[in-house]
Amino acid sequence: MSWKKTIRRTILIVLAMIVILAGAAYVTVHTRAFQRFVLAKATEVAEARTGAQVEIKSMAIHWAKLSTDLYGVTIYGKGGTSQAPMFQSAHLGVGLKIVSLFRRKIDLAEIVMDRPVVHFRVNEEGQTNLPKSPSAGNSSMSVKTLFDLAVRHVAINGGQIYYNNEEIPLSAELADFGLNVSFDALSGGYKGSLGYDRGRIAIKT
């Protein structure tokens, strides 16, 4: 066998191995088992960051579009499942944008919420149904940042906010949305700020 044939055969074998590995990877990430694993990890991280009980019925990952669709999203506030969920959404779509592969920086390009429902309660003592942050047990850090997000496009379709017994329909289309939320362990309260560059918010009262 000449050296040209040897090199050609070696290249073909290497290419075949790459195709097999790529095919195996494709099948793996598109199996329900893999998506269940990702879903479990996403739920675990969300609960660790918020201190709330989180449920997600199903998800779909779109690798080509760098996006994820979550279905049946539920977040319970203080009181857990014995109270009405603090947040529910039939569908939550999240799109990502790669800013730099070298620095491994990825931004949130889009968040779309379809038919979200928020239950927010405040009693006479000023206590709310917001979950207690896990940072409260950290004595070395009195204030902990829970979220510091920047999203290029946010859409809220057919939303409802229940403030105590008042129902407030909500829809919104926002560009360059920013959200910062922190928890103060000393006061036991949340602090935050939000803003957007341009958009529309439709609230019916």
Side-chain angles (χ1 to χ4, degrees):
M1 183 181 294
S2 67
W3 63 272
K4 290 184 178 179
K5 289 184 179 180
T6 302
I7 292 176
R8 187 180 304 163
R9 182 180 178 185
T10 303
I11 292 174
L12 289 175
I13 292 174
V14 171
L15 288 175
M17 292 175 64
I18 292 174
V19 170
I20 291 172
L21 287 173
Y26 181 88
V27 172
T28 300
V29 299
H30 286 75
T31 58
R32 291 187 177 182
F34 177 80
Q35 294 201 9
R36 284 197 297 268
F37 169 76
V38 174
L39 186 57
K41 293 300 293 184
T43 303
E44 180 183 333
V45 171
E47 291 183 340
R49 293 287 290 177
T50 63
Q53 181 178 342
V54 179
E55 294 178 359
I56 305 173
K57 288 186 178 179
S58 63
M59 73 181 299
I61 304 174
H62 311 288
W63 299 100
K65 297 180 180 179
L66 284 180
S67 64
T68 301
D69 288 307
L70 305 176
Y71 300 96
V73 181
T74 302
I75 301 176
Y76 292 96
K78 193 181 298 180
T81 56
S82 62
Q83 302 291 333
M86 185 181 67
F87 174 86
Q88 281 184 305
S89 184
H91 167 254
L92 177 62
V94 180
L96 305 178
K97 178 179 177 59
I98 297 178
V99 178
S100 173
L101 287 174
F102 297 101
R103 292 182 295 172
R104 293 182 296 180
K105 180 174 176 56
I106 299 177
D107 282 351
L108 286 173
E110 183 178 54
I111 294 179
V112 178
M113 289 178 277
D114 292 319
R115 301 190 301 278
V117 178
V118 176
H119 288 269
F120 184 68
R121 298 188 304 275
V122 182
N123 61 21
E124 296 179 354
E125 289 76 28
Q127 298 174 336
T128 71
N129 62 327
L130 292 174
K132 188 174 182 180
S133 171
S135 65
N138 188 350
S139 58
S140 63
M141 184 182 298
S142 60
V143 179
K144 181 178 180 180
T145 300
L146 300 179
F147 299 102
D148 189 4
L149 301 176
V151 189
R152 294 198 173 188
H153 175 246
V154 174
I156 301 174
N157 304 314
Q160 297 283 343
I161 298 176
Y162 292 90
Y163 179 74
N164 288 342
N165 295 323
E166 184 178 357
E167 180 181 350
I168 306 172
L170 170 66
S171 294
E173 195 89 18
L174 308 174
D176 295 331
F177 176 82
L179 171 66
N180 181 282
V181 179
S182 60
F183 181 80
D184 191 334
L186 297 179
S187 63
Y190 290 84
K191 298 180 180 179
S193 61
L194 60 85
Y196 60 95
D197 182 62
R198 60 193 180 279
R200 65 172 181 83
I201 299 177
I203 300 177
K204 297 180 181 179
T205 57

